[in-house]
Amino acid sequence: MAGAAGPGTGPVAAGGDGDDSLYPIAVLIDELRNEDVQLRLNSIKKLSTIALALGVERTRTELLPFLTDTIYDEDEVLLALAEQLGNFTGLVGGPDFAHCLLPPLESLATVEETVVRDKAVESLRQISQEHTPIALEAHFVPLVKRLASGDWFTSRTSACGLFSVCYPRASNAVKAEIRQHFRSLCSDDTPMVRRAAASKLGEFAKVLELDSVKSEIVPLFTNLASDEQDSVRLLAVEACVSIAQLLSQEDLEALVMPTLRQAAEDKSWRVRYMVADKFSELQKAVGPKITLNDLIPAFQNLLKDCEAEVRAAAAHKVKELCENLPPEGRETIIMNQILPFIKELVSDTNQHVKSALASVIMGLSTILGKENTIEHLLPLFLAQLKDECPEVRLNIISNLDCVNEVIGIRQLSQSLLPAIVELAEDAKWRVRLAIIEYMPLLAGQLGVQFFDEKLNSLCMAWLVDHVYAIREAATNNLMKLVKKFGTEWAQNTIVPKVLVMASDPNYLHRMTTLFCINALSEACGQEITTKQMLPIVLKMAGDQVANVRFNVAKSLQKIGPILDTDALQEEVKPILQKLGQDEDVDVKYFAQEALSAVAQRLRKLDFPAKDSEEPSAPGADKNHFLRPRGPGEDTGKAHTERAARVVSEEAVEAARFRGTDAAKGPAYQLHVNTRDTLAQLEIAELVHFSQSRD
């Protein structure tokens, strides 16, 4: 970045008349030209505050021209600028002056970085809605035309996103010009421009008249769908959804379906993938008749495509396709035309295909009913539960609730258990973590007896896993199980096993005991916590490992609200006082934190009205601002003066920190009306009193 805007330079530098109101923009200019990118970025993010300080007229005449002239910066700065300008209409005087924001955004819409252009286009679309129809034709439409006919492809790609927002409010003559420009971009020599046009084709079609859609948009769609670049063709498939929604069944069959059939058999797998990915949307857009005649055969081909990515995308859409079929004849269509292809995918060679199918196949049970599920789907579920890929087994288990509604989970229990055990002991910790998250769901469906017999030992084994994330998830899992099965079950089954770990040789396992107590105490209630858990926690206060001791202090603070006054006063408080004298600084710190919390709870329980009765001196009590105002005391004024004093002190400290060099001129100063403390606080936060640079 070029150097500097010192006093006397820049479009709004302070003149000899000593107009202090000019300093905020001078500071902004200085920081925008600072060599430090972060300073420039911070200044850009505070543009709205500066604009408020300047007022609408000076924002229009000085700030915006300066910003337009300085759009040569790092991408992150330009991105922030493009975002800020989208919300600037009110700061330049409202909708009547919204056109003033167009020049800087037009420049940003032509830069090389895609994310900056996209953000500039987003802001332009936002501002276009604030133009009156007259202003739109006078200022916004010419901008779109300039971008659409720009020499560099970046401006033409940006123009593609602006046609749909200005077309509906334009006059008929201007509409014809807009359509002509869009047609030109659809046949542009540069693939990037054609891609941009194809991505906006459906959006543009929605705002056009039906005749124009048939006569102009459909031919453009056909051309783009047969483009030499597959990246253009696949975007045309996406546009097909929007176009199909606008046309009648006859027009669809004649104008769109030949192109869609061609796309479903395209030589590029990426185009076929897009057809599979958008299949449900296409199905809804074209209606049931065309779906049965054209889309079902196309879907069958996608399910047996030579590319695994295409098969996986199609497999993901199996459930949605079946749900969207018309109720009459749905079962027959699925059984005869879809299920045979699904059976082949269950034994597919690619694990991603099998995993995609496993994530949706369980949902078919609710569509096909109990008999068909038991006869046709159950064998597929059982096969997938034995699949060598953990993701396949995991996806089946995670969707068991669908089958449970139809046939009950007992049908799967014999095959389910081995799959769960394998996943629970999988070498990849993320797989183990995933199955833990589904354990409460399984427990609720399998019942407490089955859980105690088959799965309880797994849940306890996870508590001593060598990965912390697993131990943490296992702890949360126990809390959910207690909420599901009740406190009596916890007291008899879980709590004793957890407390045994308190004497484990591994200090990590002893800490896990404390974490479990923290989680279980709330679910188990006061009686179990006081009688069974608290003695163990107190005993662990003498542990040799400091990490265990300070976690004891944290646990006592956690379970404190659950305990009664006697336990807090007679048992917890003495232990915390002892830990407060510990030789380890961390133990001492957490003990004092817990002791403070316990003391506060005791005061609330024993002396509920005492706090409000005791007088408190300002400064000694953190809540002194809540005390009644004394005679002649103006708390609002005192607060304002104190805030202003803090601002001044911080500003001086900031100036001292940045340093001043007399040889380079004085540091900037900022004079704000002290009556407006909020403005002073905001601008003091913004301005860093930066030094002008050579």
Side-chain angles (χ1 to χ4, degrees):
M1 288 295 295
T9 65
V12 289
D17 57 356
D19 183 1
D20 289 334
S21 66
L22 297 175
Y23 278 112
I25 192 63
V27 172
L28 171 66
I29 295 170
D30 184 58
E31 296 225 342
L32 279 174
R33 294 181 176 180
N34 197 292
E35 292 178 357
D36 188 343
V37 174
Q38 192 60 46
L39 283 180
R40 299 200 300 275
L41 185 60
N42 289 339
S43 294
I44 288 292
K45 289 181 177 179
K46 297 292 185 178
L47 275 182
S48 58
T49 305
I50 289 296
L52 281 170
L54 289 173
V56 294
E57 185 176 349
R58 293 181 61 203
T59 297
R60 293 195 302 267
T61 58
E62 299 173 4
L63 179 58
L64 290 179
F66 169 74
L67 293 173
T68 306
D69 293 339
T70 56
I71 297 180
Y72 305 100
D73 206 328
E74 301 291 337
D75 293 332
E76 58 182 330
V77 178
L78 298 181
L79 180 64
L81 178 59
E83 183 176 8
Q84 289 286 318
L85 291 176
N87 302 310
F88 244 59
T89 304
L91 300 172
V92 296
D96 291 340
F97 298 96
H99 61 272
C100 297
L101 297 169
L102 299 182
L105 284 171
E106 182 177 357
S107 298
L108 288 168
T110 63
V111 301
E112 191 171 352
E113 179 54 47
T114 305
V115 292
V116 177
R117 294 202 309 272
D118 290 345
K119 183 59 70 174
V121 169
E122 182 182 327
S123 292
L124 282 168
R125 289 167 65 96
Q126 187 175 336
I127 291 170
S128 71
Q129 304 303 321
E130 296 164 346
H131 281 69
T132 62
I134 296 174
L136 192 78
E137 289 196 11
H139 302 287
F140 196 86
V141 172
L143 175 146
V144 177
K145 293 178 181 177
R146 288 195 299 272
L147 290 175
S149 56
D151 294 333
W152 193 238
F153 80 91
T154 53
S155 68
R156 302 200 297 278
T157 57
S158 295
C160 295
L162 300 175
F163 289 107
S164 60
V165 294
C166 62
Y167 186 87
R169 293 191 292 155
S171 62
N172 290 333
V174 174
K175 283 182 177 180
E177 292 182 49
I178 292 174
R179 294 198 302 272
Q180 177 57 45
H181 278 289
F182 190 82
R183 286 198 300 273
S184 300
L185 294 178
C186 287
S187 57
D188 196 275
D189 294 336
T190 309
M192 287 81 82
V193 178
R194 298 200 301 277
R195 277 203 297 271
S199 68
K200 299 298 180 182
L201 182 65
E203 180 184 289
F204 190 47
K206 289 180 180 179
V207 300
L208 261 64
E209 300 79 8
L210 183 58
D211 291 342
S212 297
V213 172
K214 293 180 184 178
S215 61
E216 298 185 39
I217 294 297
V218 170
L220 293 177
F221 162 69
T222 305
N223 292 337
L224 291 170
S226 57
D227 194 274
E228 61 182 10
Q229 297 282 332
D230 62 353
S231 59
V232 177
R233 300 201 300 275
L234 65 88
L235 289 171
V237 172
E238 194 170 351
C240 181
V241 176
S242 299
I243 296 171
Q245 293 171 343
L246 304 172
L247 301 175
S248 64
Q249 289 287 303
E250 293 76 11
D251 291 334
L252 267 177
E253 186 62 54
L255 302 175
V256 174
M257 289 313 299
T259 305
L260 185 55
R261 294 188 199 103
Q262 174 187 328
E265 300 173 356
D266 197 277
K267 61 182 179 181
S268 170
W269 71 267
R270 296 171 66 196
V271 178
R272 302 196 304 274
Y273 174 90
M274 182 60 77
V275 174
D277 189 56
K278 298 291 179 182
F279 207 88
S280 300
E281 298 170 46
L282 288 167
Q283 181 185 3
K284 291 177 182 177
V286 301
K289 183 179 178 182
I290 295 178
T291 295
L292 295 177
N293 295 336
D294 292 284
L295 293 193
I296 294 292
F299 192 73
Q300 293 171 342
N301 292 332
L302 294 172
L303 286 173
K304 58 181 182 179
D305 196 274
C306 59
E307 290 291 336
E309 287 85 351
V310 178
R311 297 199 303 276
H316 260 302
K317 299 296 177 180
V318 164
K319 181 185 174 185
E320 292 180 32
L321 170 76
C322 296
E323 286 176 339
N324 294 333
L325 290 172
E328 59 278 3
R330 175 195 293 170
E331 185 179 320
T332 304
I333 295 169
I334 296 173
M335 297 298 296
N336 296 335
Q337 301 187 49
I338 303 296
L339 197 59
F341 296 90
I342 292 176
K343 290 178 178 178
E344 292 181 16
L345 293 183
V346 169
S347 55
D348 197 276
T349 54
N350 187 281
Q351 69 178 37
H352 298 294
V353 177
K354 294 186 291 186
S355 178
L357 180 65
S359 66
V360 298
I361 191 173
M362 306 290 273
L364 296 181
S365 58
T366 55
I367 300 173
L368 292 177
K370 185 174 182 178
E371 292 184 7
N372 286 327
T373 297
I374 293 174
E375 184 179 351
H376 297 284
L377 294 181
L378 192 57
L380 304 183
F381 301 157
L382 297 174
Q384 288 178 311
L385 279 172
K386 298 174 184 176
D387 196 277
E388 60 183 11
C389 176
E391 280 190 25
V392 175
R393 303 197 299 271
L394 197 59
N395 284 342
I396 288 292
I397 290 171
S398 65
N399 290 285
L400 281 174
D401 53 332
C402 299
V403 176
N404 193 31
E405 292 175 11
V406 180
I407 63 172
I409 208 168
R410 291 290 175 181
Q411 296 272 6
L412 286 171
S413 60
Q414 295 305 314
S415 298
L416 195 59
L417 188 62
I420 294 172
V421 172
E422 284 185 29
L423 290 169
E425 299 172 350
D426 196 274
K428 297 176 181 177
W429 70 268
R430 294 186 188 277
V431 175
R432 302 199 299 276
L433 183 63
I435 192 63
I436 291 174
E437 292 174 355
Y438 294 119
M439 193 55 66
L441 171 69
L442 290 170
Q445 293 173 347
L446 292 169
V448 64
Q449 183 179 351
F450 186 94
F451 181 85
D452 284 342
E453 291 175 4
K454 309 293 185 181
L455 301 178
N456 198 326
S457 56
L458 283 178
C459 292
M460 301 310 298
W462 283 323
L463 291 174
V464 294
D465 196 278
H466 65 278
V467 177
Y468 172 76
I470 300 297
R471 299 197 299 273
E472 183 183 36
T475 301
N476 294 329
N477 173 54
L478 289 185
M479 179 179 65
K480 294 174 183 176
L481 291 173
V482 171
K483 290 181 178 178
K484 193 171 288 290
F485 290 149
T487 55
E488 185 178 348
W489 173 81
Q491 187 175 8
N492 298 329
T493 309
I494 293 297
V495 174
K497 294 180 180 179
V498 168
L499 298 183
V500 168
M501 293 168 54
S503 55
D504 194 287
N506 189 328
Y507 85 96
L508 293 173
H509 299 167
R510 300 200 297 276
M511 285 170 57
T512 301
T513 302
L514 293 172
F515 300 151
C516 289
I517 289 173
N518 294 347
L520 293 174
S521 59
E522 187 177 346
C524 290
Q526 187 182 86
E527 185 178 354
I528 297 175
T529 302
T530 305
K531 291 182 178 179
Q532 292 185 256
M533 300 183 192
L534 181 59
I536 298 298
V537 178
L538 298 176
K539 181 181 177 182
M540 294 175 72
D543 199 281
Q544 295 179 346
V545 179
N547 285 32
V548 177
R549 295 200 301 277
F550 79 63
N551 273 290
V552 166
K554 292 169 74 173
S555 292
L556 290 174
Q557 182 177 352
K558 174 73 175 177
I559 67 176
I562 300 168
L563 303 174
D564 58 26
T565 310
D566 293 339
L568 286 173
Q569 185 70 45
E570 297 171 10
E571 300 181 67
V572 174
K573 194 173 179 180
I575 291 295
L576 288 175
Q577 289 171 339
K578 181 181 176 182
L579 291 174
Q581 305 300 319
D582 198 276
E583 59 185 10
D584 187 274
V585 292
D586 291 328
V587 176
K588 188 182 299 184
Y589 170 78
F590 287 111
Q592 290 169 352
E593 288 279 308
L595 195 59
S596 175
V598 168
Q600 186 177 359
R601 174 160 171 76
L602 285 171
R603 284 199 304 272
K604 287 182 179 178
L605 291 173
D606 296 339
F607 314 106
K610 207 159 190 176
D611 286 346
S612 60
E613 294 168 359
E614 294 177 356
S616 57
D621 181 7
K622 288 186 288 186
N623 295 323
H624 68 270
F625 56 87
L626 295 176
R627 61 190 171 86
R629 186 184 306 176
E633 184 179 356
D634 185 356
T635 54
K637 181 179 179 182
H639 179 69
T640 302
E641 291 175 352
R642 184 164 56 255
R645 187 165 60 253
V646 169
V647 169
S648 301
E649 291 170 357
E650 288 179 352
V652 171
E653 186 61 30
R656 185 181 297 115
F657 176 76
R658 286 175 174 265
T660 56
D661 186 347
K664 292 184 179 180
Y668 283 124
Q669 300 179 19
L670 181 63
H671 300 273
V672 184
N673 187 346
T674 54
R675 289 176 298 178
D676 190 351
T677 307
L678 179 60
Q680 188 170 22
L681 286 167
E682 286 181 347
I683 299 182
E685 179 189 1
L686 163 70
V687 179
H688 302 292
F689 295 83
S690 67
Q691 194 69 24
S692 62
R693 303 178 65 89
D694 294 333

